[in-house]
Amino acid sequence: MSSQDSQKAITAANEQGSATEFGLALDHARKVIINLPFPPSTNNLFINVTKGRIPSARYADWRQEAGWSLKAQRPRSIKGPVILKYLFQEGQDRRKRDIGNLEKAPTDLLVEHKVIESDDNTIVRAIALGWSKAVTGARVQIIPVSKS
């Protein structure tokens, strides 16, 4: 099968509501898309204090803003395994960023607001991260893994 034929098969499967990605059958018909403010880096989520670690003011502010944004979008809860696909706003400033450090805060928010059951390996089966100039802040697609 040529790569063009493969792409056509993937497109057809997506249009029918299921496809295979990361070796998993996905239920695209039930996916949820959520837009959130640009998250703080994992490096800036907590600060050290005398008796341990506490959320930083920046993280607390982001959680509050992102929580209200999430509630306003009224996403349904997804039970069972999922794949998370994140797109983050590219070029919001001139800083170089480690994209891997942007995933933790939004994933924890999804768990806190019960959009997904957990962020452990039994629920989150794969995570994809990318940059996009077409996105403001962050966008996450939550795609359920099909039971078949």
Side-chain angles (χ1 to χ4, degrees), residues 69-110:
S69 175
L70 183 66
K71 285 181 182 191
Q73 295 171 70
R74 302 181 68 174
R76 69 180 177 279
S77 293
I78 296 179
K79 301 294 181 206
V82 297
I83 287 180
L84 302 177
K85 290 185 174 185
Y86 286 99
L87 286 176
F88 298 101
Q89 178 179 347
E90 183 172 17
Q92 77 165 16
D93 56 29
R94 295 182 154 279
R95 292 176 46 196
K96 290 183 179 180
R97 296 179 184 273
D98 180 344
I99 196 169
N101 284 337
L102 299 177
E103 171 272 327
K104 181 170 179 40
T107 300
D108 287 350
L109 187 80
L110 295 176

Side-chain angles (χ1 to χ4, degrees), residues 77-147:
S77 293
I78 296 179
K79 301 294 181 206
V82 297
I83 287 180
L84 302 177
K85 290 185 174 185
Y86 286 99
L87 286 176
F88 298 101
Q89 178 179 347
E90 183 172 17
Q92 77 165 16
D93 56 29
R94 295 182 154 279
R95 292 176 46 196
K96 290 183 179 180
R97 296 179 184 273
D98 180 344
I99 196 169
N101 284 337
L102 299 177
E103 171 272 327
K104 181 170 179 40
T107 300
D108 287 350
L109 187 80
L110 295 176
V111 173
E112 179 182 342
H113 287 265
K114 299 181 179 9
V115 177
I116 61 175
E117 293 178 90
S118 176
D119 57 2
D120 67 46
N121 64 309
T122 65
I123 299 300
V124 178
R125 302 302 296 155
I127 298 175
L129 307 171
W131 296 106
S132 174
K133 292 184 182 199
V135 169
T136 300
R139 178 174 298 146
V140 59
Q141 288 185 51
I142 307 160
I143 308 168
V145 174
S146 296
K147 293 179 180 169

Side-chain angles (χ1 to χ4, degrees), residues 7 14 16 21 50 54 63 89-90 125-126 132 143 146:
Q7 187 59 45
N14 281 334
Q16 293 172 2
E21 209 166 320
T50 306
I54 61 170
R63 282 176 58 188
Q89 178 179 347
E90 183 172 17
R125 302 302 296 155
S132 174
I143 308 168
S146 296

Side-chain angles (χ1 to χ4, degrees), residues 1-21:
M1 180 182 277
S2 73
S3 66
Q4 187 175 17
D5 291 336
S6 295
Q7 187 59 45
K8 285 180 184 176
I10 291 169
T11 301
N14 281 334
E15 289 170 358
Q16 293 172 2
S18 67
T20 300
E21 209 166 320

Side-chain angles (χ1 to χ4, degrees), residues 45-57:
L45 299 184
F46 296 94
I47 58 172
N48 295 323
V49 293
T50 306
K51 294 188 178 190
R53 294 171 55 83
I54 61 170
S56 68

